[in-house]
């Protein structure tokens, strides 16, 4: 029994065998890794952005450009539609490029008449021959005679004109034509009749020629409605041709049709514009309310009017809003310390910032403040508590800063005291560095006086303490070494 080699799948792009170590699968076809790229923009693809169309690979963007919807539909120019067909990617200077390398045209020796490639007439050698109908073709010439699509033994169809075609073009050129099998069955097509004399003629039918009795015909044209073309809406019969939106003439069906109070039918959008809610209702102008059908005067007249003053209705003494004295109703009340305020009056008495239950602070003077103004008016003063940055001095006289240099003013001095000021250090205020004890106030950088902690403390050779930046400036490496200008070296 003769040896039969195992058939390997062919790459649709280059026509060569594809082995398991280099295959990429898309649309049921196997491609080489190097061939697995977009046919328009030459972008490398993977399983997440690959789209296959008739054995040709595209990225999602190029596939949408070439085969996606075009024009200005879906509401007059929706952003998802465009007129980009990818023409800027089909440049003539890329015709001879494959995998980034330009293929120079080959000179083919002409063969005697009837012996060479049927398409170009050149000699066909064994390494590049493709057989069809007992004739040898070049691999590059083995294409559809109509759409120039690359063929193989599965897709190739030999036509009566001694040419080869893909299955689609063969069916268009030599397959059955016409409008049979139920007027246009999927197996029959009529490409060649599309604009020719053999195409069936569809005449514009005037459905209003046969008039019905008053009140019985189509509400739009008044003609008689027969069973084959009737559409029902609200118990009335319409012609299928007349069943359109009154305003935008969009074709309707039972899902999107809306019967208007004027006896006409509308699509949902036009019905909402003409008969839907308008103005500033539902919480004064919600996003789902629109004013397409109103003039500027009607819109202005329908705006809600709110009295500018909350004191129009005064409350009994001690029962109204603490700020303005007006009566507070349930729709506008805000509670604070058992008292009711207007929403408009519920703001900081100093900076007038609007407040809520998280920001409001009740003060001893029975007013309300935001947190910042409350801290300024009633919070601690001075620069105590370890130089806390949140404490400020806003008053005069006795509230001024009492510690000008940040050092203790009294107490016994000792050799074991703070290295900076010499005074004794007690447990409540001590900071430890290299077995030495410092005051919290004295525990700062010797150069920039920045407050230190265990994360940025550096003990200097001179016995003082520094932050990391000052330590590096004083005791770190200098010069332009380590690769001529490394960023960690400085001349400071």
């Amino acid at each position: 029994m003769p040896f039969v080699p195992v058939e390997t799948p062919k790459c649709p792009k280059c026509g060569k065998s594809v082995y398991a170590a280099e295959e990429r699968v898309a649309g049921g076809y196997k491609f080489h890794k190097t061939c697995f790229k977009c046919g328009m923009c030459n972008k490398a693809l993977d399983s997440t952005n690959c789209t296959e169309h008739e054995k040709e690979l595209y990225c999602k963007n190029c596939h949408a450009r070439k085969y996606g919807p075009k024009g200005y539909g879906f509401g007059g120019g929706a952003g998802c539609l465009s007129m980009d067909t990818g023409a800027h990617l089909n440049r003539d200077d890329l015709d001879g490029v494959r995998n980034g390398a330009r293929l120079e045209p080959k000179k083919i020796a002409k063969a005697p008449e009837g012996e060479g490639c049927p398409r170009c007439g050149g000699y066909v050698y064994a390494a590049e021959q493709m057989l069809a109908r007992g004739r040898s073709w070049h691999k590059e010439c083995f294409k559809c005679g109509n759409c120039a699509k690359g063929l193989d033994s599965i897709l190739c169809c030999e036509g009566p004109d001694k040419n080869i075609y893909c299955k689609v073009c063969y069916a268009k050129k030599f397959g059955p034509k016409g409008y049979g099998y139920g007027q246009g069955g999927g197996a029959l097509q009529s490409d060649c009749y599309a604009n020719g004399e053999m195409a069936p003629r569809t005449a514009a039918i005037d459905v209003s020629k046969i008039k019905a009795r008053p009140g019985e015909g189509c509400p739009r044209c008044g003609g008689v409605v027969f069973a084959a073309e009737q559409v029902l809406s609200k118990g009335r019969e319409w012609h299928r041709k007349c069943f359109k939106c009154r305003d935008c003439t969009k074709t309707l069906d039972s899902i999107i049709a809306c019967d208007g109070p004027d006896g006409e039918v509308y699509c949902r959008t036009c019905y909402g514009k003409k008969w839907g809610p308008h103005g500033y209702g539902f919480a004064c102008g919600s996003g789902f309310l629109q004013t397409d059908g109103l003039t500027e005067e009607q819109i202005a007249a329908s705006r809600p009017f709110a009295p500018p003053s909350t004191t129009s209705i005064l409350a009994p003494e001690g029962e109204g809003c603490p700020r303005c004295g007006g009566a507070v109703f349930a729709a506008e009340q805000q509670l604070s310390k058992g008292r009711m305020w207007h929403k408009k009056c519920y703001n900081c008495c100093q900076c007038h910032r609007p407040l809520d239950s998280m920001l409001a602070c009740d003060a001893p003077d029975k007013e309300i403040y935001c947190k910042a103004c409350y801290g300024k008016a009633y919070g601690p003063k001075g620069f105590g508590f370890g130089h806390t940055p949140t404490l400020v001095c806003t008053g005069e006289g006795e509230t001024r800063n009492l510690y000008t240099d940040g050092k203790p003013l009294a107490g016994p001095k000792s050799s074991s005291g703070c290295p900076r000021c010499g005074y004794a250090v007690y447990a409540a205020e001590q900071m430890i560095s290299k077995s030495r004890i410092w005051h919290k106030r004295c525990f700062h950088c010797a150069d920039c006086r920045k407050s230190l902690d265990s994360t940025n403390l550096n003990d200097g050779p001179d016995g003082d303490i520094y932050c990391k930046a000052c330590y590096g400036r004083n005791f770190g490496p200098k010069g332009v070494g380590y690769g001529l200008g490394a960023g960690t070296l400085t001349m400071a």
Side-chain angles (χ1 to χ4, degrees):
M1 183 175 180
F3 171 74
V4 179
V6 179
E7 290 189 6
T8 56
K10 306 294 182 183
C11 175
K13 183 161 284 190
C14 65
K16 297 180 181 179
S17 299
V18 181
Y19 300 98
E22 57 177 351
E23 71 178 17
R24 290 287 185 272
V25 180
Y29 303 105
K30 295 183 178 181
F31 297 80
H32 294 108
K33 285 183 182 178
T34 55
C35 299
F36 203 69
K37 58 181 67 174
C38 177
M40 289 179 65
C41 66
N42 215 30
K43 174 185 176 182
L45 303 176
D46 55 29
S47 58
T48 62
N49 61 356
C50 175
T51 306
E52 183 268 338
H53 185 88
E54 293 184 357
K55 287 192 176 183
E56 189 67 40
L57 297 179
Y58 301 94
C59 62
K60 290 187 176 180
N61 289 337
C62 293
H63 186 268
R65 286 191 185 106
K66 194 164 186 177
Y67 301 105
K70 303 291 188 297
Y72 296 87
F74 297 165
C80 57
L81 297 183
S82 74
M83 296 298 293
D84 185 8
T85 60
H88 62 286
L89 299 173
N90 299 327
R91 301 195 302 271
D92 295 336
D93 57 345
L94 297 179
D95 291 343
V97 177
R98 179 181 295 174
N99 296 334
R102 179 169 294 278
L103 303 179
E104 298 295 336
K106 297 185 295 184
K107 294 182 180 179
I108 302 174
K110 291 295 181 180
E113 186 68 26
E115 295 183 9
C117 173
R119 183 148 292 161
C120 66
Y123 277 106
V124 182
Y125 300 99
E128 57 177 350
Q129 73 176 3
M130 301 292 288
L131 297 177
R133 209 169 191 176
R135 294 179 296 167
S136 298
W137 302 66
H138 293 114
K139 283 185 181 178
E140 295 182 356
C141 300
F142 201 65
K143 300 177 182 178
C144 174
N146 191 23
C147 65
K149 177 182 178 181
L151 303 177
D152 56 19
S153 58
I154 299 175
L155 295 176
C156 179
C157 296
E158 298 156 2
D161 56 355
K162 297 184 180 181
N163 206 342
I164 53 176
Y165 301 90
C166 63
K167 291 186 176 182
V168 175
C169 294
Y170 181 88
K172 288 181 179 178
K173 198 171 181 79
F174 305 106
K177 306 291 189 300
Y179 293 83
Y181 295 118
Q183 294 195 356
L188 297 182
Q189 49 78 37
S190 54
D191 282 2
C192 62
Y193 297 139
N195 299 311
E197 296 180 355
M198 300 178 66
R201 301 298 178 185
T202 55
I205 302 174
D206 186 3
V207 292
S208 62
K209 280 187 176 181
I210 306 176
K211 292 292 182 181
R213 288 179 292 184
E216 295 184 5
C218 174
R220 182 149 298 165
C221 68
V224 177
V225 183
F226 299 99
E229 57 178 350
Q230 74 177 4
V231 180
L232 298 178
S233 174
K234 216 170 186 178
R236 296 178 299 165
E237 298 177 347
W238 299 69
H239 290 116
R240 199 177 300 250
K241 181 181 178 182
C242 300
F243 198 61
K244 299 178 181 179
C245 175
R246 175 69 178 81
D247 287 352
C248 66
T249 67
K250 178 182 179 181
T251 303
L252 304 177
D253 55 24
S254 59
I255 298 175
I256 61 174
C258 297
D259 295 280
D262 57 353
E264 280 287 353
V265 286
Y266 299 87
C267 64
R268 289 186 176 181
T269 304
C270 295
Y271 183 89
K273 289 179 179 178
K274 194 160 189 174
W275 310 106
H278 295 288
Y280 295 85
F282 298 164
C284 295
S286 300
F288 54 84
L289 296 183
Q290 46 77 37
T291 56
D292 284 2
L294 301 179
T295 63
E296 289 295 330
E297 292 77 11
Q298 291 173 322
I299 294 173
S302 65
R303 283 194 176 99
F305 173 76
S309 175
T310 54
T311 59
S312 299
I313 305 175
L314 293 176
E317 186 69 26
E319 296 183 9
C321 174
R323 184 156 295 168
C324 68
V328 183
F329 299 98
E332 57 176 349
Q333 72 179 6
Q334 293 283 329
L335 297 179
S336 175
K337 218 168 187 178
R339 295 177 299 165
M340 293 186 297
W341 302 66
H342 292 115
K343 284 184 181 179
K344 182 180 179 181
C345 301
Y346 199 67
N347 53 46
C348 177
C349 68
Q350 288 191 0
C351 66
H352 304 291
R353 176 186 179 185
L355 302 176
D356 55 22
S357 59
M358 301 297 293
L359 297 175
C361 296
D362 295 281
D365 59 355
K366 296 184 180 180
E367 269 288 356
I368 52 175
Y369 297 82
C370 64
K371 289 186 177 181
C373 295
Y374 183 88
K376 289 178 182 178
Y378 301 101
K381 304 296 185 296
F383 292 87
F385 296 26
H387 294 281
T388 308
T390 56
L391 298 183
V392 297
C393 181
T394 58
E396 297 292 335
E398 69 278 6
T399 60
R400 291 185 183 276
N401 182 16
L402 300 178
Y403 305 102
T404 57
D405 57 356
K407 296 181 180 180
L409 300 179
K413 287 191 176 184
S414 65
S415 58
S416 61
C418 175
R420 184 147 289 159
C421 65
Y423 290 98
V425 182
Y426 299 100
E429 57 178 349
Q430 70 180 7
M431 301 292 289
I432 299 175
S433 165
K434 212 170 186 179
S435 301
R436 292 182 297 169
I437 301 175
W438 305 66
H439 290 114
K440 284 185 180 178
R441 295 180 182 179
C442 300
F443 201 67
H444 56 74
C445 176
D447 281 0
C448 65
R449 304 185 66 84
K450 176 182 178 182
S451 297
L452 302 177
D453 55 25
S454 59
T455 61
N456 59 359
L457 170 66
N458 289 270
D459 293 279
D462 57 355
D464 217 329
I465 53 177
Y466 299 88
C467 63
K468 288 185 178 180
C470 294
Y471 182 89
R473 190 180 300 113
N474 291 324
F475 307 105
K478 304 292 188 300
V480 203
Y482 296 159
L484 295 178
T488 56
L489 298 183
T490 174
M491 294 296 291

